[in-house]
Amino acid sequence: MAGGNQTSILEFLLWGLSEQPEQQHILFLLFLCMYVVTVTGNLLIVLAIGTDARLHTPMYFFLASLSCADILFTSTTVPKALVNIQTQSRSISYAGCLVQLYFFLTFGDMDIFLLATMAYDRYVAICHPLHYKIVMSRQRCTLLVTACWVLTSLVAMTHTFLIFRLSFCSKKIIPDFFCDLGPLMKVSCSDTQVNELVLLFLGGAVILIPFILILVSYIHIVSAILRVPSAQGRHKAFSTCGSHLAVVALFFGTVIRAYLCPSSSSSNSIEEDTAAAVMYTVVTPLLNPFIYSLRNKDMKCALARCLRGKVFFSLGQ
């Protein structure tokens, strides 16, 4: 930021989830329930996988990593939105906004990379089963997840630094319920051309390359499933793949809508952008535990054993 602009703004105002006062109480209860279910569901997955040695495989290692990322991703935005609704305050400090932006981008991109990694894992398992243990060794799985964390941190750092360079002098209402790249660029009073180009090319690569990899992986998976002689086996595999692809389509569809499709500053556009943001920040992390785990027999058994263990432990106190 230019020297004269650094003290020109100390806080932003968030547009929020809705401008209708009568909807605030309902929205608070709805988002509180979704947040509690999201955190509880994903935390149970992490605990079940961590305590059951039978689930110490690459697929469940990536699933546990996705659950951790989902908890952090949702916790970056929803608690602040709930506090703002409860206190009837829409303010967020300038420093708090940048911190929220950095962690939101880090955990959001981590979700994207992990979904691609999980699709690749399933591709190797189904299309190259004889080479699966060699290709997806423990060292390689750890390296993949570590590389994802490093890449997402670098991408988030780049975007956050470019936002830090901007000045915000007058219009301070961010048209969203959290600090994000597009809304922050809209309220900046300096030239955002560099930010827009980086968002288009770097952001586009971060979103579209994993999305294409997921599609290619599932095309090969579907092709392999069609060669399965058992009709029951094909139906079960298509059911699982269909639910996975539904979550991928919902997540990537709303992310592409938010970051790669420009929108105006009209009230209807803000409401549409907010609805899209709710889909990929709240709804998708909420659905992931149900889609990836509760349809899985091994996962359901591990969750049951985990819950029984907690009940017996509490009864023994």
Side-chain angles (χ1 to χ4, degrees), residues 161-174:
F161 175 74
L162 290 174
I163 290 294
F164 176 74
R165 293 174 62 251
L166 300 179
S167 55
F168 303 89
C169 304
S170 53
K171 185 182 178 183
K172 300 188 298 181
I173 299 180
I174 299 174

Side-chain angles (χ1 to χ4, degrees), residues 118-136:
M118 291 170 71
Y120 175 71
D121 172 73
R122 292 298 83 207
Y123 159 73
V124 177
I126 294 172
C127 300
H128 303 282
L130 298 179
H131 300 95
Y132 180 71
K133 288 188 177 180
I134 298 172
V135 175
M136 303 304 293

Side-chain angles (χ1 to χ4, degrees), residues 1 9-15 80 84 89-98 163 166-175 178-179 183-185 187-188:
M1 289 177 64
I9 181 168
L10 297 175
E11 67 176 18
F12 295 104
L13 293 178
L14 296 166
W15 188 81
K80 176 61 178 174
N84 284 0
S89 169
R90 296 189 294 171
S91 66
I92 183 170
S93 68
Y94 174 74
C97 186
L98 290 183
I163 290 294
L166 300 179
S167 55
F168 303 89
C169 304
S170 53
K171 185 182 178 183
K172 300 188 298 181
I173 299 180
I174 299 174
F178 62 95
C179 292
L184 281 169
M185 285 190 278
V187 300
S188 171

